[in-house]
Amino acid sequence: LFWLLLCFSPCASCPQHCQCHDHLGAMAVLCSSGELEEIPKDIPKDTVFLKLDANKITAIPSNAFKHLSHLQELDLSRNAIEKIDMAAFKGVADGLRLLDLSNNHIQSIPKEALIKLNAKIRLSNNPWHCECTLQEALWEVKLDPESVNEITCQTSVEEEYIGKPLLQVLDTGINFCNIHQKTTDIAMFITMFGWFTMVITYVVYYVRHNQEDARKHLEYLKSLPSTQVPKETI
């Protein structure tokens, strides 16, 4: 009866489709293959190991794990995650040691979501779009060395890098942020040129229109009958 009562509290608070048990003195919550479509909101606060792999989760909203201050390992692999909010991992930055986001549908991730994480991060087997935002995000993280070569450019701002491992591309010296800056500069130049052309066109139109009005006014004055003042006889 004593052991039943001791176990009752954590067991009763365990999320649906999950299993909660003590693992070497730490709370482990196992929700693998539970057909979950979103992250449970009733995960025990003392959770240290959390497995949410092989579900149908599509997004990680802000503050999804904020109450899990003891969390050390978080497995979100083999889901359908496409969107990760900037504050998705707020509250777990200090203690988190491992974050697994491999085998999802992630194309891009905001650097703000990862900037404070000290965890080893797995990002392999996602349909990454290789451009400045992704490069900036990867500058902020500690990637898992065992899976780093499986981060591949499925799409890219430069077609020649499609299908190649991202780190292999970066080793060539390519800087997607420079490409982005050049593209932005060109777009700004085109915009400014368009505005300049519009201004010049308006000025030319204005001058020509005024010249036409002045010409018509002069012709009108010429068409008026002339009046001569008679000379006074002395």
Side-chain angles (χ1 to χ4, degrees):
L1 180 60
F2 171 78
W3 288 110
L4 181 62
L5 292 174
L6 188 65
C7 178
F8 179 78
S9 179
C11 291
S13 63
C14 195
Q16 190 176 8
H17 305 298
C18 300
Q19 296 179 357
C20 302
H21 63 86
D22 183 276
H23 176 70
L24 301 177
M27 171 65 74
V29 179
L30 311 180
C31 307
S32 304
S33 304
E35 298 292 318
L36 298 175
E37 296 183 358
E38 60 182 20
I39 297 167
K41 294 179 172 54
D42 53 348
I43 300 171
K45 293 182 179 181
D46 58 344
T47 299
V48 176
F49 306 102
L50 177 58
K51 289 184 66 65
L52 292 163
D53 57 304
N55 282 289
K56 299 179 179 179
I57 300 170
T58 58
I60 306 178
S62 296
N63 301 313
F65 309 101
K66 186 177 181 179
H67 63 293
L68 303 179
S69 58
H70 301 285
L71 194 61
Q72 294 183 13
E73 294 187 12
L74 174 58
D75 188 355
L76 288 160
S77 64
R78 295 185 295 154
N79 276 281
I81 298 171
E82 296 180 354
K83 184 177 184 298
I84 299 176
D85 288 349
M86 290 189 293
F89 305 108
K90 184 177 180 180
V92 299
D94 295 335
L96 198 64
R97 298 183 308 187
L98 175 64
L99 172 61
D100 194 343
L101 292 168
S102 61
N103 295 282
N104 277 284
H105 300 164
I106 309 169
Q107 294 183 327
S108 182
I109 187 169
K111 66 178 181 180
E112 293 82 1
L114 306 175
I115 194 170
K116 294 183 178 180
L117 294 181
N118 297 317
K120 181 170 61 176
I121 301 178
R122 296 172 183 166
L123 299 173
S124 56
N125 298 315
N126 280 286
W128 294 109
H129 176 61
C130 292
E131 40 77 50
C132 181
T133 302
L134 177 60
Q135 184 173 341
E136 287 183 335
L138 295 187
W139 281 339
E140 305 294 339
V141 303
K142 181 171 64 176
L143 296 174
D144 175 23
E146 296 180 4
S147 62
V148 70
N149 290 325
E150 297 173 0
I151 303 175
T152 304
C153 301
Q154 179 162 316
T155 57
S156 173
V157 291
E158 295 288 321
E159 292 186 3
E160 59 184 297
Y161 302 122
I162 295 176
K164 295 183 178 180
L166 177 58
L167 289 195
Q168 179 181 326
V169 172
L170 296 179
D171 285 342
T172 64
I174 185 67
N175 189 329
F176 290 110
C177 295
N178 285 346
I179 295 174
H180 175 74
Q181 184 62 44
K182 290 178 181 179
T183 304
T184 303
D185 290 344
I186 292 172
M188 185 176 296
F189 173 77
I190 293 174
T191 302
M192 292 179 63
F193 180 78
W195 278 107
F196 180 75
T197 303
M198 289 176 61
V199 171
I200 294 299
T201 302
Y202 175 77
V203 171
V204 170
Y205 168 79
Y206 180 79
V207 171
R208 289 183 176 178
H209 183 72
N210 283 351
Q211 287 179 340
E212 183 68 18
D213 287 346
R215 184 184 63 79
K216 291 181 179 180
H217 185 66
L218 183 59
E219 289 179 353
Y220 171 75
L221 292 177
K222 289 180 178 179
S223 67
L224 294 176
S226 61
T227 56
Q228 295 183 352
V229 179
K231 296 181 179 179
E232 293 182 359
T233 306
I234 301 177

